[in-house]
Amino acid sequence: MTMINAYAPDSAGSLPERERALIARREKLLGPAYRLFYADPIHVVRGEGSSLYDAEGNRYLDAYNNVASVGHSRPEVVEAMARQAAVLNTHTRYLTDGILDFAEAFLAEFPAELSHLMLTCTGSEANDLALRVARVHTGGTGVVIAHNAYHGVTSALAEMSPSLGAAVKLGDHVRVVPAPDGYRMPEAEVGAAFARSVEAAIADLREKGIAPAALLVDTIFSSSGVFTDPAGFLAPAVEVMRKAGGIFIADEVQPGFGRLGTHMWGFARHGLVPDIVTVGKPMGNGHPVAGAVFRPEVIEAFGKSQRYFNTFGGNPVSCAVALAVLRVIKADRLQENALRVGTEMIDGLRALAAKHELIGDVRGSGLFIGVEMVRDRKLKTPASEETARVVNGMRQRRVLISATGQEGHILKIRPPLVFSSEDAKLFLATLDDVLTAL
């Protein structure tokens, strides 16, 4: 499967000599599995706030990289990392204060029912741990996921990540349900339709002798196409899974940390309290720290029957970094910024939709936005080729986005939380230029 927005090696001849040499060096040293973004890849050397800079010093507006949640090279985060690294870094089998200081501050951002934190190095590890706990707690193995989902790169998670392509086979214990697409059905029907699909998936698992363990979804369905509305649509499907004996795992790696503006976490938009919540590298602004938050009763059996050890999950440097990120989000009111600037972006995109027929739908919450591109608004035909041209046209004008959805026809807009009104205006003006040029 071709990766969405991937560099095509047969176009290398149009690149400057330095970039061609870098690509050749990558291929020689890193092997064939890595992919680069954009038809014309960018050689980045520095980042600051919502900006990336290339080797010539040109600024690129970053409207894509959620991992640098509080902005590239955030000084408070860099300082916390350096300060702790100069004193101590070790594993979690010694008594240290930092992990507890962070856990207290972090768990305060969750409903009271979610009161245990386990730390890992990556979101993939967090989801892997969540699945292990779910299987012990429920006695089942079956997992229900959404169409074109992405949940990680471990062997267990790759089997639950159809967005990785047809060559990566889904597990026999995995069932995929249609995405909750409010663009192609009335919004009032989304919740019931999604719940019926989950119910059918559970029935199919049981027919094959597989007991359900969990409904695992990214709470904004980012790889499926960015589906946010109506708020609350996820609740009926969660109820179906719980009645069947399974649990709900909310994958907040992409939508979490105030990005959605209205709430700190995507699950909260749906009025839910999950059984497990997983988070990833945005909690460390790109530093490799991630984790899972549990209801105590869900992790009890796992904790009694198994020990868990992750050599550097929860190390003092990672905890200092994660605490610094959390403090920046709160002190700078970045959740409020996400709501304010995101609303400006969504309003501006809808204004562009009135001008450009290629835009079929604009949806999102805060600074996580999907723009569905269609060739025919009545038929809602995916405009995949045109979307690729838009993404690369934006890149040529030094504004960075990507695409999502199985057909690669949905613009994925997901900037750092420090994205400003001025950044939004530049983004909208550039997109208008690109669409006009098409």
Side-chain angles (χ1 to χ4, degrees):
M1 176 184 178
T2 301
M3 185 186 85
I4 292 172
N5 187 30
Y7 159 68
D10 56 10
S11 67
S14 63
L15 296 175
E17 174 58 33
R18 178 172 55 189
E19 278 63 45
R20 290 204 304 273
L22 275 175
I23 291 169
R25 193 175 168 204
R26 277 174 60 100
E27 291 172 349
K28 178 180 179 181
L29 296 172
L30 305 183
Y34 282 94
R35 301 291 187 272
L36 288 163
F37 265 172
Y38 306 112
D40 183 4
I42 306 166
H43 178 194
V44 293
V45 298
R46 184 170 70 87
E48 182 180 354
S50 60
S51 302
L52 290 170
Y53 295 87
D54 68 15
E56 279 73 44
N58 297 307
R59 181 208 180 203
Y60 292 77
L61 179 64
D62 185 357
Y64 180 73
N65 285 300
N66 69 310
V67 170
S69 54
V70 297
H72 295 282
S73 306
R74 181 75 188 209
E76 297 95 321
V77 178
V78 174
E79 181 185 357
M81 184 190 311
R83 183 172 59 246
Q84 183 59 50
V87 176
L88 173 70
N89 203 24
T90 188
H91 55 72
T92 54
R93 281 178 167 162
Y94 299 123
L95 286 172
T96 56
D97 298 299
I99 190 170
L100 304 179
D101 293 340
F102 172 67
E104 285 175 346
F106 189 56
L107 290 171
E109 302 297 325
F110 288 86
E113 296 93 328
L114 292 157
S115 59
H116 286 327
L117 169 67
M118 297 176 76
L119 292 169
T120 65
C121 298
T122 68
S124 294
E125 286 181 339
N127 278 331
D128 195 88
L129 173 60
L131 290 170
R132 289 176 59 193
V133 171
R135 287 166 179 157
V136 172
H137 176 69
T138 65
T141 59
V143 180
V144 179
I145 61 170
H147 174 77
N148 209 52
Y150 172 74
H151 293 292
V153 295
T154 66
S155 293
L157 270 305
E159 291 184 342
M160 300 178 193
S161 297
S163 65
L164 293 176
V168 182
K169 300 300 182 184
L170 298 183
D172 293 337
H173 59 296
V174 178
R175 295 296 180 274
V176 178
V177 297
D181 189 346
Y183 179 47
R184 287 176 170 77
M185 72 175 80
E187 281 195 354
E189 299 177 12
V190 170
F194 192 64
R196 285 193 300 271
S197 296
V198 171
E199 197 167 30
I202 292 169
D204 188 62
L205 285 167
R206 283 181 164 158
E207 189 177 307
K208 306 298 190 299
I210 302 169
L215 172 65
L216 169 62
V217 298
D218 161 0
T219 55
I220 200 168
F221 297 86
S222 56
S223 295
S224 303
V226 186
F227 297 109
T228 52
D229 295 308
F233 76 74
L234 190 52
V238 171
E239 183 179 1
V240 164
M241 178 55 74
R242 285 174 170 162
K243 282 184 177 178
I247 65 170
F248 170 42
I249 303 172
D251 183 337
E252 294 284 345
V253 172
Q254 294 191 59
F257 291 93
R259 170 162 298 280
L260 303 189
T262 57
H263 297 81
M264 187 69 164
W265 310 108
F267 64 77
R269 288 188 76 251
H270 294 287
L272 292 167
V273 179
D275 300 290
I276 305 175
V277 178
T278 56
V279 291
K281 284 181 285 296
M283 76 188 293
N285 211 45
H287 181 85
V289 58
V293 182
F294 303 86
R295 289 177 183 257
E297 63 270 24
V298 169
I299 201 170
E300 183 178 7
F302 180 87
K304 287 181 178 179
S305 64
Q306 304 182 36
R307 62 186 177 90
Y308 176 74
F309 178 57
N310 183 317
T311 303
F312 262 60
N315 68 78
V317 170
S318 292
C319 289
V321 168
L323 184 57
V325 170
L326 188 61
R327 285 173 172 167
V328 168
I329 291 172
K330 305 301 285 186
D332 287 10
R333 304 182 68 171
L334 293 184
Q335 179 180 326
E336 291 89 334
N337 184 71
L339 180 60
R340 178 177 56 81
V341 178
T343 300
E344 293 173 14
M345 294 268 283
I346 290 170
D347 289 345
L349 287 162
R350 286 177 176 155
L352 289 182
K355 180 179 177 182
H356 300 285
E357 287 287 322
L358 194 60
I359 297 177
D361 191 37
V362 177
R363 51 187 181 255
S365 181
L367 287 174
F368 209 135
I369 303 167
V371 180
E372 183 152 352
M373 314 294 275
V374 295
R375 290 178 178 155
D376 185 306
R377 284 187 175 179
K378 187 174 291 185
L379 299 176
K380 301 179 179 178
T381 313
S384 304
E385 292 179 13
E386 294 88 340
T387 303
R389 290 167 62 191
V390 170
V391 170
N392 283 291
M394 295 287 281
R395 176 259 175 271
Q396 292 299 329
R397 292 163 175 81
R398 299 179 187 149
V399 175
L400 306 181
I401 57 171
S402 191
T404 188
Q406 188 169 28
E407 305 297 328
H409 71 292
I410 300 159
L411 300 181
K412 188 176 186 179
I413 304 161
R414 191 190 51 177
L417 297 175
V418 295
F419 214 68
S420 68
S421 292
E422 292 70 26
D423 292 335
K425 289 181 177 68
L426 174 59
F427 174 88
L428 292 165
T430 307
L431 181 58
D432 189 17
D433 288 346
V434 170
L435 291 171
T436 300
L438 283 181

